């Protein structure tokens, strides 16, 4: 890798690249990149799942400035192997069990290549009609697979859009809900608007509320309990909303979750929508991870009641084999989004838009520019079909059931929350039946002891590099999460992961 130097005779130097899009050179280098990535996947099990580098490692290895002269793709790929891969946490590893999956696939990768290769900027229909129309079609396809009500589809009165992430989708819907409510109660009531979720709702809702100008004191994280498996209780919500309304505040937005990040808790959509209806509250349903599984008939009941909601999201880039980023958002009334998010300067006006016969997705999102995300989702749907997609999802759930059974067979461990989908939440206990100790006055002390034990166990597991899991804290309990869903994961990897957990628990408990 060279460093920056200066030459007064730049234009006469032979090392200048004359055509950055030369088809022959693109074909040559493209084949090399494909081979490099294919080799990476062939060898991915050899890498430590969680990167073990220290902060600022890369700055010590790379030059202080960009190269002045071109460098070959061969040299660059050597440096990717030498410097970049050690700093990657391998989300596609079959031994990756942290957070939620970011499942990839050949179809997803190739669709991304097509999207990047065309490099269209599809802000309105005119800017690339195919990008807009394909997105409308695949969003209806996926909506039908989920058996969403017709009111959420373009074939009804609603419609879908591909956002980058759930964070963006929530911000867009919250902004639309804010403006809709202010148009009814008056702009001067802005400080009185209130947003609701549970104490398990993703922090994206708080961030969106902050960005959209909601008073930080007006976010309600309604407490959940083990008795409802950490789902949001409709009665608890009603009590909080009623108290706010009586205090002169204006309830306007609820984020209900199907598959919370910590434990995969399920908020009861139908009953919550009934509460929201009484106060004209916009209901957004966040099914970022678990929504994908709802294409399987046996899981569809988790989104029963969705007909009462205003908007719904799932992330195809989590558990639907479509590369990041690809968040699917459906809304019943696209006009609310358009009213809040549209701008129409002269340079964007055109006959197609004026005809009201086309969708201009720039008015459905935060940014003007947008990528051709529908291409990769289209390839995934077509390359695998509904039958295979259901099979993949079910296989991950089956492996999670196996891991859960292994945990239950070892009386040093407990499953902390009911397993739903492919996430198992568990912890180790200092000795069997340690929970009985919690009944006496030393409850807090013993809980702290158990939490520290599990934190040490997880740190030890992750430092080994053999597997990667992550923690959460629910109701004061430190929990280890095993989320199964990487595309390459097989049953043998799950069994191996449990053996790693046991081995590190053996070493740790011998000192307790």
């Amino acid at each position: 890798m060279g460093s920056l130097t200066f030459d007064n005779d730049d234009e006469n130097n032979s090392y200048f690249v004359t055509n950055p899009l030369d088809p022959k050179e693109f074909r040559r280098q493209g084949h090399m990149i494909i081979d490099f990535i294919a080799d990476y996947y062939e060898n991915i099990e050899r890498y430590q799942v969680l990167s073990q580098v220290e902060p600022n490692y890369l700055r010590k290895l790379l030059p202080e400035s960009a190269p002045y002269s071109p460098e070959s793709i061969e040299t660059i790929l050597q440096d990717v192997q030498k410097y970049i891969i050690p700093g990657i946490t391998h989300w596609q590893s079959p031994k990756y069990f942290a957070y939620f999956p970011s499942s990839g696939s050949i179809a997803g990768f190739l669709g991304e290549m097509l999207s990047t290769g065309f490099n269209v900027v599809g802000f309105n229909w005119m800017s690339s009609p195919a990008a807009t129309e394909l997105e409308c079609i695949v969003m209806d396809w996926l909506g039908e697979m989920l058996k969403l009500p017709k009111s959420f589809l373009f074939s009804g009165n609603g419609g879908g859009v591909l956002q980058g992430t759930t964070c963006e989708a929530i911000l867009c819907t919250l902004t639309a809900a804010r403006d809709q409510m202010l148009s009814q109660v008056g702009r001067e009531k802005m400080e009185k608007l209130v947003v609701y979720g549970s104490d398990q709702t993703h922090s994206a809702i708080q961030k969106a509320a902050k960005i959209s100008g909601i008073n930080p004191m007006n976010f309600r994280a309604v407490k959940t309990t083990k008795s409802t498996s950490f789902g949001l209780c409709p009665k608890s919500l009603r009590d909080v909303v009623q108290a706010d309304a009586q205090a002169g505040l204006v309830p306007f937005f609820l984020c209900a979750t199907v598959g919370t990040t910590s434990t995969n808790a399920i908020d009861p959509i139908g009953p919550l929508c009934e509460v929201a209806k009484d106060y004209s509250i916009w209901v957004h349903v966040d099914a970022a991870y678990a929504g994908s599984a709802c294409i399987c008939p046996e899981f569809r009941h988790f989104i029963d009641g969705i007909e009462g909601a205003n908007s719904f999201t799932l992330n195809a880039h989590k558990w639907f084999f479509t590369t990041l980023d690809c968040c699917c958002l459906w809304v019943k009334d696209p006009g609310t989004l358009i009213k809040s998010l549209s701008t129409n300067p002269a340079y964007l006006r055109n006959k197609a838009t004026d005809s009201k016969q086309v969708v201009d997705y720039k008015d459905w999102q935060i940014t003007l520019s947008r990528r051709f995300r529908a291409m990769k989702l289209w390839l995934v749907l077509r390359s695998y079909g509904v039958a295979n997609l259901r099979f993949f999802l079910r296989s991950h759930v089956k492996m999670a059931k196996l891991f859960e059974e292994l945990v239950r067979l070892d009386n040093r461990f407990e499953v902390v929350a009911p397993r739903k989908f492919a996430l198992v939440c568990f912890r180790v206990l200092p000795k069997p039946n340690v929970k009985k100790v919690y009944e006496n006055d030393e409850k807090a002390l013993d809980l702290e002891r158990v939490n520290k034990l599990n934190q040490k166990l997880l740190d030890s597991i992750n430092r080994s590099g053999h597997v990667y899991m992550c923690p959460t804290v629910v109701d004061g309990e430190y929990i280890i999460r095993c989320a199964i869903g990487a595309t390459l994961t097989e049953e043998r990897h799950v069994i191996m992961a449990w053996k790693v957990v046991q081995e590190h628990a053996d070493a740790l408990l011998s000192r307790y």
Side-chain angles (χ1 to χ4, degrees):
M1 289 178 288
S3 59
L4 188 62
T5 58
F6 294 94
D7 191 324
N8 292 326
D9 193 24
D10 288 346
E11 294 184 2
N12 295 323
N13 285 318
S14 60
Y15 50 67
F16 269 85
V17 175
T18 57
N19 184 358
L21 267 180
D22 177 72
K24 291 182 179 179
E25 188 60 21
F26 175 63
R27 183 174 285 108
R28 185 185 75 85
Q29 294 189 27
H31 286 163
M32 292 182 66
I33 293 288
I34 291 292
D35 287 342
F36 183 90
I37 295 172
D39 289 343
Y40 167 74
Y41 279 107
E42 279 190 338
N43 297 295
I44 196 168
E45 288 194 53
R46 301 180 186 179
Y47 299 119
Q48 292 186 314
V49 189
L50 178 63
S51 175
Q52 306 293 314
V53 300
E54 297 292 329
N56 299 311
Y57 88 100
L58 197 55
R59 188 167 293 279
K60 299 172 184 176
L61 298 173
L62 299 185
E64 293 183 359
S65 54
Y68 187 67
S69 302
E71 296 180 333
S72 70
I73 189 65
E74 291 85 353
T75 299
I76 295 169
L77 286 178
Q78 287 174 5
D79 288 343
V80 171
Q81 184 69 48
K82 186 176 181 181
Y83 301 127
I84 303 301
I85 286 183
I88 290 177
T89 291
H90 301 281
W91 284 67
Q92 304 306 313
S93 169
K95 299 180 289 183
Y96 180 96
F97 303 104
Y99 305 107
F100 281 128
S102 180
S103 55
S105 66
I106 295 171
F109 297 153
L110 297 181
E112 190 73 71
M113 287 177 63
L114 282 171
S115 173
T116 302
F118 292 135
N119 199 27
V120 300
V121 185
F123 48 83
N124 61 14
W125 183 88
M126 281 287 292
S127 64
S128 267
T132 295
E133 297 197 10
L134 184 63
E135 188 161 332
C136 294
I137 290 168
V138 297
M139 289 302 289
D140 268 9
W141 280 7
L142 185 52
E144 289 169 356
M145 289 164 61
L146 292 162
K147 298 190 183 302
L148 292 183
K150 203 82 165 177
S151 55
F152 280 99
L153 308 181
F154 284 107
S155 55
N157 295 316
V161 57
L162 293 175
Q163 304 273 359
T165 66
T166 297
C167 298
E168 296 171 42
I170 290 177
L171 177 56
C172 289
T173 54
L174 192 147
T175 301
R178 177 200 67 188
D179 291 348
Q180 184 180 65
M181 182 58 74
L182 289 177
S183 70
Q184 299 171 21
V185 302
R187 303 290 301 185
E188 68 278 4
K189 295 289 184 69
M190 178 71 181
E191 280 294 308
K192 295 185 179 294
L193 297 181
V194 187
V195 175
Y196 301 86
S198 81
D199 57 2
Q200 301 302 305
T201 303
H202 196 281
S203 61
I205 182 63
Q206 290 174 273
K207 188 170 187 176
K210 184 185 298 185
I211 293 171
S212 59
I214 304 304
N215 186 334
M217 300 296 292
N218 288 357
F219 174 76
R220 305 286 183 261
V222 183
K223 184 171 176 54
T224 60
T225 65
K226 273 192 174 182
S227 64
T228 60
S229 299
F230 302 109
L232 178 56
C233 172
K235 183 181 184 304
S236 298
L237 174 66
R238 185 177 290 278
D239 290 344
V240 174
V241 171
Q242 189 172 21
D244 283 336
Q246 290 174 350
L249 298 174
V250 182
F252 86 102
F253 190 88
L254 166 66
C255 183
T257 309
V258 175
T260 59
T261 300
S262 286
T263 65
N264 253 341
I266 308 293
D267 293 341
I269 299 174
L272 292 174
C273 286
E274 288 299 315
V275 175
K277 183 179 179 181
D278 291 342
Y279 295 89
S280 300
I281 295 172
W282 180 299
V283 179
H284 175 74
V285 177
D286 171 14
Y289 158 72
S292 296
C294 294
I295 68 167
C296 301
E298 65 269 30
F299 297 120
R300 172 57 176 77
H301 67 93
F302 285 115
I303 58 172
D304 283 354
I306 191 67
E307 62 275 4
N310 300 83
S311 52
F312 174 79
T313 52
L314 70 81
N315 285 349
H317 60 247
K318 275 192 168 68
W319 200 17
F320 207 70
F321 314 97
T322 308
T323 53
L324 188 73
D325 52 3
C326 192
C327 171
C328 305
L329 166 66
W330 289 269
V331 290
K332 271 185 177 177
D333 181 7
T336 54
L337 283 183
I338 295 168
K339 189 173 181 180
S340 290
L341 303 175
S342 66
T343 55
N344 292 292
Y347 49 79
L348 293 180
R349 294 173 189 162
N350 59 83
K351 290 182 180 179
T353 297
D354 292 342
S355 74
K356 307 293 184 184
Q357 296 181 17
V358 300
V359 173
D360 286 343
Y361 274 127
K362 70 178 180 62
D363 300 329
W364 295 50
Q365 62 178 28
I366 298 166
T367 62
L368 171 67
S369 300
R370 64 195 324 271
R371 299 169 57 240
F372 196 170
R373 293 188 184 97
M375 181 61 72
K376 56 189 175 184
L377 186 53
W378 190 47
L379 260 71
V380 167
L381 292 173
R382 293 190 63 189
S383 297
Y384 306 123
V386 177
N388 274 304
L389 291 168
R390 287 174 176 168
F391 172 80
F392 298 150
L393 295 166
R394 286 166 174 157
S395 70
H396 292 150
V397 174
K398 182 179 178 182
M399 286 186 274
K401 288 180 180 178
L402 170 61
F403 189 88
E404 179 187 30
E405 291 169 4
L406 293 172
V407 173
R408 293 189 185 280
L409 286 172
D410 190 327
N411 67 0
R412 299 172 300 173
F413 291 84
E414 69 167 345
V415 175
V416 179
R419 182 203 52 76
K420 296 184 180 71
F421 309 107
L423 172 68
V424 181
C425 297
F426 68 100
R427 64 176 181 166
V428 68
L429 302 171
K431 58 183 178 179
N433 300 320
V434 73
K435 287 187 291 183
K436 292 182 180 179
V437 178
Y438 293 171
E439 297 172 3
N440 62 32
D441 294 336
E442 298 180 358
K443 176 179 178 180
L445 180 63
D446 282 293
L447 179 58
E448 182 180 358
R449 180 187 176 208
V450 174
N451 285 348
K452 287 183 177 178
L453 173 63
N454 280 275
Q455 187 171 4
K456 288 180 180 179
L457 174 59
L458 183 59
D459 288 345
S460 177
I461 291 169
N462 287 340
R463 281 198 308 272
S464 75
H466 296 307
V467 297
Y468 180 32
M469 299 178 187
C470 71
T472 190
V473 176
V474 178
D475 207 20
E477 295 181 357
Y478 186 96
I479 300 167
I480 301 174
R481 300 169 70 263
C482 177
I484 296 168
T487 308
L488 294 173
T489 300
E490 300 173 3
E491 188 174 292
R492 63 186 175 90
H493 299 111
V494 173
I495 295 171
M496 177 276 299
W498 176 240
K499 288 181 179 178
V500 170
V501 171
Q502 285 185 308
E503 289 169 3
H504 287 266
D506 290 343
L508 196 58
L509 290 174
S510 68
R511 303 196 295 270
Y512 269 73

